[in-house]
Coordinates of all heavy atoms in Angstrom, one line a residue:
M1 N 10.9 14.9 -4.0 CA 10.5 14.2 -2.8 C 10.6 15.1 -1.6 O 11.6 15.7 -1.3 CB 11.4 13.0 -2.6 CG 11.0 12.1 -1.4 SD 9.7 11.0 -1.6 CE 10.7 9.4 -2.1
N2 N 9.5 15.2 -0.8 CA 9.6 15.9 0.5 C 8.7 15.1 1.5 O 8.3 14.0 1.2 CB 9.1 17.3 0.4 CG 7.7 17.4 -0.1 OD1 6.8 16.7 0.4 ND2 7.5 18.3 -1.1
E3 N 8.6 15.6 2.6 CA 8.0 14.8 3.7 C 6.5 14.7 3.6 O 5.9 13.8 4.1 CB 8.2 15.6 5.1 CG 9.6 15.4 5.6 CD 9.8 16.2 6.9 OE1 8.8 16.5 7.5 OE2 11.0 16.5 7.2
N4 N 5.9 15.5 2.7 CA 4.4 15.5 2.6 C 3.9 14.7 1.3 O 2.7 14.5 1.2 CB 3.9 16.9 2.5 CG 4.1 17.6 3.8 OD1 4.0 17.0 4.9 ND2 4.5 18.8 3.7
S5 N 4.8 14.3 0.4 CA 4.3 13.5 -0.7 C 5.5 12.7 -1.3 O 6.7 12.9 -0.9 CB 3.9 14.5 -1.8 OG 5.0 15.3 -2.3
F6 N 5.1 11.7 -2.2 CA 6.2 11.0 -2.8 C 5.7 10.7 -4.3 O 4.4 10.9 -4.5 CB 6.4 9.7 -2.1 CG 5.2 8.7 -2.0 CD1 5.1 7.7 -3.0 CD2 4.3 8.8 -1.0 CE1 4.0 6.8 -2.9 CE2 3.2 7.9 -0.9 CZ 3.1 6.9 -1.9
I7 N 6.5 10.3 -5.1 CA 6.2 9.9 -6.5 C 6.1 8.4 -6.5 O 7.0 7.7 -6.2 CB 7.3 10.4 -7.5 CG1 7.5 11.9 -7.4 CG2 6.9 10.0 -8.9 CD1 6.4 12.8 -8.0
C8 N 4.9 8.0 -7.0 CA 4.7 6.5 -7.1 C 5.7 5.9 -8.1 O 5.7 6.4 -9.2 CB 3.2 6.3 -7.5 SG 2.9 4.5 -7.8
E9 N 6.4 4.9 -7.8 CA 7.3 4.3 -8.7 C 6.7 3.4 -9.7 O 7.3 3.1 -10.7 CB 8.3 3.4 -7.9 CG 9.2 4.2 -7.0 CD 10.5 3.5 -6.7 OE1 10.8 2.4 -7.2 OE2 11.2 4.0 -5.7
N10 N 5.4 3.1 -9.5 CA 4.7 2.3 -10.5 C 4.0 3.2 -11.6 O 4.2 3.0 -12.8 CB 3.7 1.4 -9.9 CG 3.0 0.4 -10.9 OD1 3.7 -0.3 -11.5 ND2 1.7 0.6 -10.9
C11 N 3.2 4.2 -11.1 CA 2.4 4.9 -12.1 C 3.0 6.4 -12.3 O 2.5 7.0 -13.2 CB 0.9 5.0 -11.7 SG 0.5 5.9 -10.2
G12 N 3.9 6.8 -11.4 CA 4.5 8.1 -11.6 C 3.8 9.3 -11.1 O 4.2 10.4 -11.3
K13 N 2.6 9.0 -10.5 CA 1.8 10.1 -10.0 C 2.3 10.6 -8.6 O 3.0 9.8 -7.9 CB 0.3 9.7 -9.8 CG -0.4 9.5 -11.1 CD -1.9 9.4 -10.8 CE -2.7 9.6 -12.1 NZ -2.7 8.3 -12.9
R14 N 2.2 11.9 -8.3 CA 2.6 12.4 -7.0 C 1.4 12.1 -6.0 O 0.3 12.3 -6.3 CB 2.8 13.9 -7.1 CG 3.1 14.5 -5.7 CD 3.6 16.0 -5.8 NE 4.9 16.1 -6.5 CZ 6.1 16.0 -5.9 NH1 6.1 15.8 -4.6 NH2 7.2 16.1 -6.6
V15 N 1.8 11.6 -4.9 CA 0.9 11.1 -3.9 C 1.1 11.8 -2.6 O 2.3 11.9 -2.0 CB 1.1 9.6 -3.6 CG1 0.2 9.1 -2.6 CG2 0.9 8.8 -4.9
S16 N 0.1 12.5 -2.1 CA 0.2 13.1 -0.8 C 0.3 12.1 0.3 O -0.5 11.0 0.3 CB -1.0 14.1 -0.6 OG -1.0 14.5 0.8
L17 N 1.1 12.3 1.4 CA 1.2 11.3 2.5 C -0.1 11.5 3.4 O -0.3 10.7 4.3 CB 2.4 11.6 3.3 CG 3.7 11.0 2.6 CD1 4.9 11.4 3.4 CD2 3.6 9.5 2.4
R18 N -0.8 12.6 3.3 CA -2.0 12.8 4.1 C -3.2 12.1 3.4 O -3.6 12.4 2.4 CB -2.4 14.3 4.2 CG -1.3 15.0 5.0 CD -1.7 16.5 5.0 NE -0.5 17.3 5.3 CZ 0.1 17.5 6.5 NH1 -0.5 16.9 7.5 NH2 1.2 18.2 6.6
A19 N -3.6 11.1 4.2 CA -4.7 10.2 3.6 C -5.8 10.1 4.6 O -5.6 9.9 5.8 CB -4.2 8.8 3.3
P20 N -7.1 10.3 4.2 CA -8.2 10.1 5.1 C -8.3 8.7 5.5 O -8.2 7.8 4.7 CB -9.4 10.6 4.2 CG -9.0 10.4 2.8 CD -7.5 10.6 2.8
G21 N -8.5 8.5 6.8 CA -8.8 7.1 7.3 C -7.5 6.3 7.7 O -7.6 5.2 8.1
T22 N -6.3 6.9 7.5 CA -5.1 6.2 7.9 C -4.1 7.3 8.3 O -4.1 8.4 7.8 CB -4.6 5.3 6.7 OG1 -3.4 4.7 7.2 CG2 -4.3 6.1 5.5
H23 N -3.2 6.9 9.2 CA -2.2 7.8 9.7 C -1.0 7.7 8.9 O 0.0 8.5 9.0 CB -1.9 7.5 11.2 CG -3.1 7.8 12.1 ND1 -3.6 9.1 12.2 CD2 -3.8 7.0 12.9 CE1 -4.7 9.0 13.0 NE2 -4.8 7.7 13.5
N24 N -0.8 6.6 8.2 CA 0.5 6.2 7.7 C 0.3 5.7 6.2 O 0.2 4.5 6.0 CB 1.1 5.2 8.6 CG 2.5 4.7 8.1 OD1 3.2 5.5 7.3 ND2 2.9 3.6 8.5
R25 N 0.1 6.6 5.3 CA 0.0 6.2 3.9 C 1.2 5.4 3.4 O 2.3 5.9 3.4 CB -0.2 7.4 3.0 CG 0.0 7.1 1.5 CD -1.2 7.1 0.8 NE -1.8 8.4 0.5 CZ -3.0 8.6 0.1 NH1 -3.8 7.6 -0.2 NH2 -3.5 9.8 -0.1
N26 N 0.9 4.2 2.9 CA 2.1 3.5 2.4 C 1.8 2.9 1.1 O 2.6 2.0 0.6 CB 2.4 2.3 3.4 CG 1.1 1.5 3.8 OD1 0.2 1.5 3.0 ND2 1.1 1.0 5.0
H27 N 0.7 3.3 0.4 CA 0.5 2.9 -1.0 C -0.1 3.9 -1.8 O -0.7 4.9 -1.3 CB -0.2 1.6 -1.0 CG -1.6 1.6 -0.4 ND1 -1.8 1.4 0.9 CD2 -2.8 1.9 -0.9 CE1 -3.1 1.6 1.2 NE2 -3.8 1.9 0.0
C28 N 0.0 3.8 -3.1 CA -0.5 4.8 -4.0 C -2.0 4.6 -4.2 O -2.5 3.5 -4.4 CB 0.2 4.5 -5.4 SG -0.5 5.5 -6.8
P29 N -2.8 5.7 -4.0 CA -4.2 5.6 -4.2 C -4.7 5.3 -5.6 O -5.8 4.9 -5.8 CB -4.7 6.9 -3.7 CG -3.7 7.9 -3.9 CD -2.4 7.1 -3.8
Y30 N -3.8 5.6 -6.6 CA -4.2 5.4 -8.0 C -4.0 4.0 -8.5 O -4.9 3.5 -9.1 CB -3.4 6.4 -8.9 CG -3.6 7.8 -8.4 CD1 -2.5 8.4 -7.7 CD2 -4.7 8.6 -8.6 CE1 -2.5 9.7 -7.2 CE2 -4.8 9.9 -8.1 CZ -3.7 10.4 -7.4 OH -3.8 11.7 -6.9
C31 N -2.9 3.4 -8.2 CA -2.6 2.1 -8.7 C -2.5 1.1 -7.6 O -2.3 -0.1 -7.9 CB -1.4 2.1 -9.6 SG 0.2 2.4 -8.7
L32 N -2.5 1.5 -6.4 CA -2.4 0.7 -5.1 C -1.1 0.0 -4.9 O -1.0 -0.7 -3.9 CB -3.5 -0.4 -5.1 CG -5.1 0.1 -5.3 CD1 -5.9 -1.1 -5.3 CD2 -5.4 1.2 -4.2
Y33 N -0.1 0.4 -5.7 CA 1.2 -0.2 -5.4 C 1.8 0.5 -4.2 O 1.6 1.6 -3.9 CB 2.2 0.1 -6.6 CG 2.2 -1.0 -7.6 CD1 1.1 -1.3 -8.4 CD2 3.3 -1.8 -7.8 CE1 1.1 -2.4 -9.3 CE2 3.4 -2.9 -8.7 CZ 2.3 -3.1 -9.5 OH 2.3 -4.2 -10.4
S34 N 2.6 -0.3 -3.6 CA 3.3 0.2 -2.4 C 4.8 -0.1 -2.6 O 5.2 -0.6 -3.6 CB 2.9 -0.6 -1.2 OG 3.5 -0.2 0.0
L35 N 5.7 0.3 -1.6 CA 7.1 0.0 -1.7 C 7.5 -0.8 -0.4 O 7.0 -0.5 0.6 CB 8.0 1.3 -1.8 CG 8.0 2.0 -3.1 CD1 8.8 3.3 -3.0 CD2 8.5 1.1 -4.2
H36 N 8.4 -1.6 -0.6 CA 9.0 -2.4 0.6 C 9.9 -1.6 1.3 O 11.2 -1.7 1.1 CB 9.5 -3.8 0.0 CG 9.8 -4.7 1.2 ND1 10.4 -5.9 1.0 CD2 9.5 -4.6 2.5 CE1 10.6 -6.5 2.1 NE2 10.1 -5.7 3.1
L37 N 9.5 -0.7 2.1 CA 10.3 0.3 2.8 C 10.5 -0.1 4.3 O 11.4 0.3 5.0 CB 9.8 1.7 2.8 CG 9.7 2.3 1.4 CD1 9.2 3.8 1.5 CD2 11.1 2.4 0.8
D38 N 9.5 -0.9 4.8 CA 9.4 -1.2 6.2 C 9.5 -2.6 6.6 O 9.0 -3.5 5.8 CB 8.0 -0.7 6.8 CG 7.7 0.7 6.5 OD1 8.6 1.5 6.3 OD2 6.4 1.0 6.5
N39 N 10.2 -2.9 7.6 CA 10.1 -4.3 8.2 C 8.8 -4.4 9.1 O 8.0 -5.3 9.0 CB 11.4 -4.6 9.0 CG 12.5 -4.8 8.1 OD1 12.4 -5.3 7.0 ND2 13.7 -4.3 8.5
D40 N 8.7 -3.4 10.0 CA 7.5 -3.2 10.7 C 6.9 -1.9 10.2 O 7.6 -1.0 9.9 CB 7.8 -3.1 12.2 CG 8.2 -4.5 12.8 OD1 7.5 -5.4 12.5 OD2 9.2 -4.5 13.4
P41 N 5.5 -1.8 10.3 CA 4.9 -0.6 9.7 C 5.5 0.7 10.2 O 5.6 0.9 11.4 CB 3.4 -0.8 10.1 CG 3.2 -2.2 10.3 CD 4.6 -2.8 10.8
G42 N 5.9 1.5 9.3 CA 6.4 2.9 9.6 C 7.9 2.9 9.9 O 8.4 4.0 10.2
D43 N 8.5 1.8 10.1 CA 10.0 1.9 10.5 C 11.0 2.3 9.5 O 12.1 2.7 9.8 CB 10.4 0.6 11.3 CG 10.6 -0.6 10.4 OD1 10.5 -0.5 9.2 OD2 10.9 -1.7 11.0
R44 N 10.6 2.1 8.2 CA 11.5 2.5 7.1 C 12.9 1.8 7.2 O 13.9 2.5 6.8 CB 11.7 4.0 7.1 CG 10.4 4.8 6.7 CD 9.9 4.5 5.4 NE 8.7 5.4 4.9 CZ 7.5 4.9 5.0 NH1 7.2 3.8 5.5 NH2 6.5 5.7 4.6
R45 N 13.0 0.6 7.7 CA 14.2 0.0 7.9 C 14.5 -1.1 6.9 O 15.5 -1.8 7.0 CB 14.4 -0.5 9.3 CG 14.4 0.6 10.4 CD 14.4 0.2 11.7 NE 15.6 -0.5 12.1 CZ 15.8 -1.0 13.3 NH1 14.9 -1.0 14.2 NH2 17.0 -1.6 13.6
S46 N 13.6 -1.4 6.0 CA 13.9 -2.4 5.0 C 15.0 -2.0 4.1 O 15.0 -0.9 3.6 CB 12.6 -2.8 4.2 OG 12.9 -3.6 3.1
V47 N 15.8 -2.9 3.7 CA 16.9 -2.6 2.7 C 16.4 -3.1 1.3 O 17.2 -2.8 0.4 CB 18.2 -3.3 3.1 CG1 18.8 -2.7 4.4 CG2 18.1 -4.8 3.2
C48 N 15.2 -3.6 1.2 CA 14.8 -4.2 -0.1 C 14.4 -3.1 -1.1 O 14.9 -3.0 -2.1 CB 13.6 -5.2 0.2 SG 12.9 -5.8 -1.3
R49 N 13.5 -2.3 -0.7 CA 12.9 -1.2 -1.5 C 12.3 -1.7 -2.8 O 12.3 -0.9 -3.8 CB 14.0 -0.1 -1.7 CG 14.6 0.4 -0.4 CD 15.5 1.6 -0.7 NE 14.8 2.8 -1.1 CZ 14.2 3.7 -0.3 NH1 14.2 3.5 1.0 NH2 13.6 4.7 -0.8
G50 N 11.9 -2.9 -2.9 CA 11.2 -3.4 -4.1 C 9.8 -2.8 -4.1 O 9.3 -2.3 -3.2
K51 N 9.2 -2.9 -5.4 CA 7.8 -2.5 -5.5 C 6.9 -3.6 -4.9 O 7.1 -4.8 -5.2 CB 7.5 -2.3 -7.0 CG 7.9 -0.9 -7.5 CD 7.2 -0.6 -8.8 CE 7.7 -1.5 -9.9 NZ 7.2 -1.0 -11.3
M52 N 5.8 -3.2 -4.3 CA 4.9 -4.2 -3.7 C 3.6 -4.1 -4.5 O 3.0 -3.1 -4.5 CB 4.7 -3.9 -2.2 CG 6.0 -4.2 -1.4 SD 5.8 -4.2 0.3 CE 5.0 -5.8 0.6
A53 N 3.3 -5.1 -5.2 CA 2.1 -5.2 -6.0 C 0.8 -5.5 -5.1 O 0.9 -6.4 -4.3 CB 2.2 -6.2 -7.1
P54 N -0.3 -4.9 -5.5 CA -1.5 -5.3 -4.8 C -2.0 -6.7 -5.4 O -2.3 -6.7 -6.5 CB -2.5 -4.2 -5.1 CG -2.0 -3.6 -6.4 CD -0.5 -3.8 -6.4
V55 N -2.0 -7.7 -4.5 CA -2.3 -9.0 -5.1 C -3.7 -9.5 -4.7 O -4.2 -10.5 -5.3 CB -1.2 -10.1 -4.6 CG1 0.1 -9.8 -5.2 CG2 -1.2 -10.2 -3.1
G56 N -4.3 -8.8 -3.8 CA -5.7 -9.3 -3.4 C -6.2 -8.4 -2.2 O -5.5 -7.5 -1.8
K57 N -7.3 -8.9 -1.7 CA -7.8 -8.1 -0.5 C -8.5 -9.2 0.5 O -8.7 -10.3 0.1 CB -8.9 -7.1 -0.9 CG -10.1 -7.7 -1.6 CD -11.0 -6.6 -2.1 CE -12.1 -7.2 -2.9 NZ -12.9 -6.2 -3.7
M58 N -8.5 -8.8 1.7 CA -9.1 -9.7 2.7 C -10.0 -8.9 3.6 O -10.0 -7.7 3.6 CB -8.0 -10.3 3.6 CG -7.0 -11.1 2.9 SD -5.7 -11.6 4.0 CE -6.6 -12.7 5.1
Y59 N -10.9 -9.5 4.3 CA -11.7 -8.9 5.3 C -11.4 -9.3 6.7 O -11.3 -10.5 7.0 CB -13.2 -9.2 5.0 CG -13.7 -8.6 3.7 CD1 -13.6 -9.3 2.5 CD2 -14.1 -7.2 3.7 CE1 -14.0 -8.8 1.3 CE2 -14.4 -6.7 2.4 CZ -14.4 -7.4 1.2 OH -14.8 -6.9 0.1
K60 N -11.1 -8.4 7.5 CA -10.8 -8.7 8.9 C -12.1 -9.1 9.7 O -13.2 -8.9 9.1 CB -10.1 -7.5 9.6 CG -8.7 -7.1 8.9 CD -7.9 -6.3 9.9 CE -8.4 -5.0 10.2 NZ -7.4 -4.1 10.8
K61 N -11.9 -9.6 10.9 CA -13.0 -10.1 11.7 C -14.1 -9.0 11.9 O -15.3 -9.2 11.9 CB -12.6 -10.6 13.1 CG -11.9 -11.9 13.0 CD -11.9 -12.5 14.4 CE -11.0 -13.8 14.5 NZ -9.6 -13.4 14.8
D62 N -13.6 -7.7 12.0 CA -14.5 -6.6 12.2 C -15.2 -6.1 10.8 O -15.9 -5.1 10.8 CB -14.0 -5.5 13.0 CG -12.7 -4.9 12.2 OD1 -12.5 -5.3 11.0 OD2 -12.0 -4.1 12.8
G63 N -14.8 -6.8 9.7 CA -15.4 -6.4 8.4 C -14.6 -5.4 7.7 O -14.9 -5.1 6.6
E64 N -13.5 -4.9 8.3 CA -12.6 -3.9 7.6 C -12.0 -4.6 6.4 O -11.4 -5.7 6.5 CB -11.6 -3.3 8.5 CG -10.9 -2.2 7.9 CD -9.8 -1.6 8.8 OE1 -9.7 -2.0 9.9 OE2 -9.1 -0.6 8.3
E65 N -11.9 -3.8 5.3 CA -11.3 -4.4 4.1 C -9.8 -4.0 4.1 O -9.4 -2.8 4.4 CB -11.9 -3.7 2.9 CG -11.7 -4.3 1.6 CD -12.6 -3.6 0.4 OE1 -12.7 -2.4 0.5 OE2 -13.1 -4.3 -0.4
V66 N -9.0 -4.9 3.9 CA -7.5 -4.7 3.8 C -6.9 -5.2 2.5 O -7.4 -6.2 2.0 CB -6.7 -5.3 5.0 CG1 -7.1 -4.6 6.3 CG2 -6.9 -6.8 5.1
V67 N -5.9 -4.4 2.0 CA -5.3 -4.8 0.7 C -4.1 -5.6 1.0 O -3.4 -5.2 1.9 CB -5.0 -3.6 -0.1 CG1 -4.1 -3.9 -1.4 CG2 -6.2 -2.8 -0.6
V68 N -3.8 -6.7 0.4 CA -2.6 -7.5 0.5 C -1.6 -7.1 -0.6 O -1.9 -7.2 -1.8 CB -2.9 -9.0 0.5 CG1 -1.7 -9.9 0.7 CG2 -4.0 -9.4 1.5
H69 N -0.4 -6.7 -0.1 CA 0.7 -6.4 -1.0 C 1.7 -7.5 -0.9 O 2.0 -8.0 0.1 CB 1.3 -5.0 -0.7 CG 0.4 -3.9 -1.0 ND1 -0.3 -3.2 0.0 CD2 0.3 -3.2 -2.1 CE1 -0.9 -2.2 -0.6 NE2 -0.6 -2.2 -1.9
R70 N 2.3 -7.8 -2.1 CA 3.5 -8.7 -2.2 C 4.6 -8.0 -2.9 O 4.4 -7.5 -4.0 CB 3.1 -10.0 -2.8 CG 4.2 -11.0 -2.8 CD 3.9 -12.3 -3.5 NE 2.8 -13.0 -3.0 CZ 1.8 -13.5 -3.7 NH1 1.8 -13.5 -5.0 NH2 0.8 -14.2 -3.0
C71 N 5.8 -8.1 -2.3 CA 6.9 -7.4 -2.8 C 7.4 -8.3 -4.1 O 7.6 -9.4 -4.1 CB 8.0 -7.4 -1.8 SG 9.5 -6.7 -2.5
E72 N 7.6 -7.6 -5.2 CA 8.0 -8.2 -6.4 C 9.5 -8.6 -6.4 O 9.9 -9.4 -7.2 CB 7.8 -7.2 -7.7 CG 6.3 -6.9 -7.9 CD 6.1 -6.0 -9.1 OE1 7.0 -5.3 -9.5 OE2 5.0 -5.9 -9.6
R73 N 10.2 -8.1 -5.4 CA 11.6 -8.4 -5.3 C 11.9 -9.6 -4.5 O 12.6 -10.5 -4.8 CB 12.4 -7.2 -4.9 CG 13.9 -7.4 -5.1 CD 14.6 -6.0 -4.8 NE 14.4 -5.1 -5.9 CZ 14.9 -3.9 -5.9 NH1 15.6 -3.4 -4.8 NH2 14.7 -3.1 -6.9
C74 N 11.3 -9.6 -3.2 CA 11.6 -10.6 -2.3 C 10.4 -11.4 -1.8 O 10.6 -12.4 -1.1 CB 12.2 -10.0 -1.1 SG 11.1 -9.0 0.0
G75 N 9.2 -11.1 -2.3 CA 8.1 -12.0 -2.0 C 7.4 -11.7 -0.6 O 6.4 -12.3 -0.2
F76 N 8.0 -10.7 0.1 CA 7.3 -10.3 1.4 C 5.9 -9.8 1.2 O 5.6 -9.1 0.3 CB 8.2 -9.2 2.0 CG 7.7 -8.6 3.3 CD1 8.0 -9.2 4.5 CD2 7.1 -7.4 3.3 CE1 7.5 -8.7 5.7 CE2 6.6 -6.8 4.5 CZ 6.9 -7.5 5.7
E77 N 5.1 -10.3 2.1 CA 3.6 -9.9 2.0 C 3.2 -9.1 3.2 O 3.7 -9.4 4.3 CB 2.7 -11.2 2.0 CG 2.7 -11.8 0.6 CD 1.6 -12.9 0.5 OE1 0.8 -13.0 1.4 OE2 1.7 -13.6 -0.5
R78 N 2.3 -8.2 3.0 CA 1.8 -7.3 4.1 C 0.4 -6.9 3.8 O 0.0 -6.7 2.6 CB 2.7 -6.1 4.2 CG 2.3 -5.3 5.5 CD 3.4 -4.2 5.7 NE 3.5 -3.3 4.5 CZ 4.6 -2.7 4.3 NH1 5.6 -2.7 5.1 NH2 4.7 -1.9 3.2
R79 N -0.4 -6.8 4.8 CA -1.8 -6.3 4.7 C -1.8 -4.8 5.1 O -1.1 -4.4 6.0 CB -2.7 -7.0 5.7 CG -2.8 -8.4 5.4 CD -3.6 -9.1 6.5 NE -3.3 -10.5 6.6 CZ -3.8 -11.3 7.5 NH1 -4.6 -10.9 8.4 NH2 -3.5 -12.6 7.6
N80 N -2.5 -4.0 4.3 CA -2.6 -2.6 4.5 C -4.0 -2.2 4.5 O -4.8 -2.7 3.7 CB -1.8 -1.9 3.4 CG -0.4 -2.0 3.5 OD1 0.2 -1.6 4.5 ND2 0.2 -2.6 2.5
R81 N -4.3 -1.2 5.4 CA -5.7 -0.6 5.4 C -6.0 0.1 4.1 O -5.0 0.7 3.5 CB -5.8 0.3 6.6 CG -5.6 -0.3 7.9 CD -5.7 0.8 9.0 NE -7.1 1.2 9.2 CZ -7.4 2.0 10.1 NH1 -6.5 2.4 11.0 NH2 -8.7 2.4 10.2
V82 N -7.2 0.0 3.7 CA -7.6 0.8 2.5 C -7.8 2.3 3.0 O -8.4 2.5 4.0 CB -8.9 0.3 2.0 CG1 -9.4 1.2 0.8 CG2 -8.8 -1.2 1.5
A83 N -7.2 3.2 2.3 CA -7.3 4.6 2.6 C -8.6 5.2 2.0 O -9.1 4.6 1.0 CB -6.1 5.4 2.1
G84 N -9.1 6.2 2.6 CA -10.4 6.8 2.2 C -10.5 7.3 0.7 O -11.5 7.4 0.1
D85 N -9.3 7.6 0.2 CA -9.2 8.1 -1.2 C -8.6 7.1 -2.2 O -8.2 7.4 -3.3 CB -8.6 9.4 -1.3 CG -7.1 9.4 -0.8 OD1 -6.7 8.4 -0.3 OD2 -6.4 10.4 -1.0
D86 N -8.4 5.8 -1.7 CA -7.9 4.9 -2.7 C -9.0 4.7 -3.8 O -10.2 4.8 -3.6 CB -7.8 3.5 -2.0 CG -6.5 3.4 -1.2 OD1 -5.7 4.3 -1.3 OD2 -6.4 2.5 -0.4
D87 N -8.4 4.3 -5.0 CA -9.3 4.1 -6.2 C -10.2 2.9 -5.9 O -9.8 1.8 -5.9 CB -8.4 3.9 -7.4 CG -9.3 3.9 -8.7 OD1 -10.4 3.3 -8.7 OD2 -8.8 4.4 -9.7
V88 N -11.5 3.2 -5.7 CA -12.4 2.1 -5.4 C -12.5 1.0 -6.5 O -12.8 -0.2 -6.2 CB -13.8 2.5 -5.0 CG1 -13.7 3.2 -3.6 CG2 -14.4 3.5 -6.0
E89 N -12.4 1.4 -7.7 CA -12.5 0.5 -8.9 C -11.3 -0.5 -8.8 O -11.4 -1.7 -9.1 CB -12.5 1.2 -10.2 CG -13.9 1.8 -10.5 CD -14.0 2.4 -11.8 OE1 -13.2 1.9 -12.8 OE2 -14.7 3.3 -12.1
M90 N -10.1 0.1 -8.5 CA -8.9 -0.8 -8.4 C -9.2 -1.7 -7.2 O -8.8 -2.9 -7.3 CB -7.7 0.1 -8.1 CG -7.3 1.0 -9.3 SD -6.7 0.0 -10.6 CE -5.2 -0.7 -10.0
V91 N -9.7 -1.2 -6.0 CA -9.9 -2.2 -4.9 C -10.9 -3.2 -5.3 O -10.7 -4.4 -4.9 CB -10.3 -1.4 -3.7 CG1 -10.7 -2.3 -2.5 CG2 -9.2 -0.4 -3.3
D92 N -12.0 -2.8 -6.0 CA -13.0 -3.8 -6.4 C -12.5 -4.9 -7.2 O -13.0 -6.0 -7.1 CB -14.2 -3.0 -7.1 CG -15.2 -2.5 -6.2 OD1 -15.1 -2.7 -5.0 OD2 -16.0 -1.7 -6.7
K93 N -11.5 -4.6 -8.1 CA -11.0 -5.6 -9.0 C -10.1 -6.6 -8.4 O -9.8 -7.6 -9.0 CB -10.2 -4.9 -10.1 CG -11.1 -4.4 -11.3 CD -10.3 -3.9 -12.4 CE -10.6 -2.4 -12.7 NZ -9.6 -1.7 -13.6
L94 N -9.6 -6.3 -7.2 CA -8.7 -7.3 -6.6 C -9.4 -8.5 -6.2 O -10.5 -8.5 -5.7 CB -8.1 -6.7 -5.3 CG -7.2 -5.5 -5.6 CD1 -6.8 -4.8 -4.1 CD2 -5.9 -5.9 -6.2
P95 N -8.8 -9.7 -6.3 CA -9.4 -10.9 -5.9 C -9.4 -11.0 -4.4 O -8.6 -10.5 -3.7 CB -8.5 -12.0 -6.5 CG -7.1 -11.4 -6.7 CD -7.5 -9.9 -6.9
I96 N -10.5 -11.6 -3.9 CA -10.7 -11.8 -2.4 C -9.8 -13.0 -2.0 O -10.0 -14.1 -2.6 CB -12.1 -12.0 -2.0 CG1 -12.8 -10.7 -2.3 CG2 -12.2 -12.3 -0.6 CD1 -14.3 -10.8 -2.2
L97 N -8.9 -12.9 -1.1 CA -8.1 -13.9 -0.6 C -8.6 -14.5 0.7 O -9.2 -13.8 1.5 CB -6.6 -13.4 -0.3 CG -5.9 -12.7 -1.5 CD1 -4.6 -12.2 -1.1 CD2 -5.8 -13.7 -2.7
L98 N -8.5 -15.8 0.9 CA -9.1 -16.4 2.1 C -7.9 -16.8 3.0 O -6.8 -17.0 2.6 CB -9.9 -17.6 1.8 CG -11.2 -17.2 0.9 CD1 -11.9 -18.5 0.5 CD2 -12.1 -16.4 1.8
Ligands
ZN1 ZN1 0.8 4.6 -8.4
ZN2 ZN1 10.9 -6.8 -0.6

């Protein structure tokens, strides 16, 4: 583990923190899993550290697609921007949440 990459706890792939289209990569582009590390985006102050599964996607008013993650440990939900190199087939397969 270093500042520029992390190992995905779900699929085990190494993920670069530099992502096109977002300043703050918080999920794996291969399996879309995230980790419950933040209370507010980027603060890294959560004590939970559970895996956050991609449970669906939503469209914001401006049409931007966002992935909804839910923590498998505590149930916390968060919306995340889709990064430019996220696996589009994985994003396509997510159910659309209203
Ligand atoms: Zn992964
Ligand atoms: Zn959690």
Side-chain angles (χ1 to χ4, degrees):
M1 179 85 93
N2 61 47
E3 287 177 19
N4 296 320
S5 67
F6 64 92
I7 303 290
C8 174
E9 290 200 15
N10 184 59
C11 71
K13 289 194 166 77
R14 178 172 290 276
V15 177
S16 169
L17 286 175
R18 291 177 205 281
T22 179
H23 296 295
N24 181 23
R25 162 105 72 194
N26 51 27
H27 59 272
C28 173
Y30 306 105
C31 68
L32 305 181
Y33 267 69
S34 183
L35 282 180
H36 190 184
L37 297 177
D38 303 335
N39 291 323
D40 290 310
D43 71 4
R44 296 293 186 265
R45 291 174 72 181
S46 171
V47 294
C48 173
R49 303 187 69 86
K51 276 198 291 190
M52 296 189 72
V55 293
K57 62 189 172 187
M58 298 177 67
Y59 293 94
K60 297 203 292 194
K61 286 197 190 92
D62 62 5
E64 187 183 358
E65 196 172 40
V66 292
V67 174
V68 180
H69 286 100
R70 183 184 296 137
C71 180
E72 293 181 341
R73 190 171 288 175
C74 73
F76 177 77
E77 281 190 12
R78 188 170 55 207
R79 298 175 203 174
N80 286 299
R81 298 177 72 173
V82 177
D85 59 352
D86 282 350
D87 188 323
V88 288
E89 283 185 30
M90 292 293 294
V91 176
D92 276 350
K93 277 189 235 163
L94 293 173
I96 295 171
L97 305 176
L98 298 173

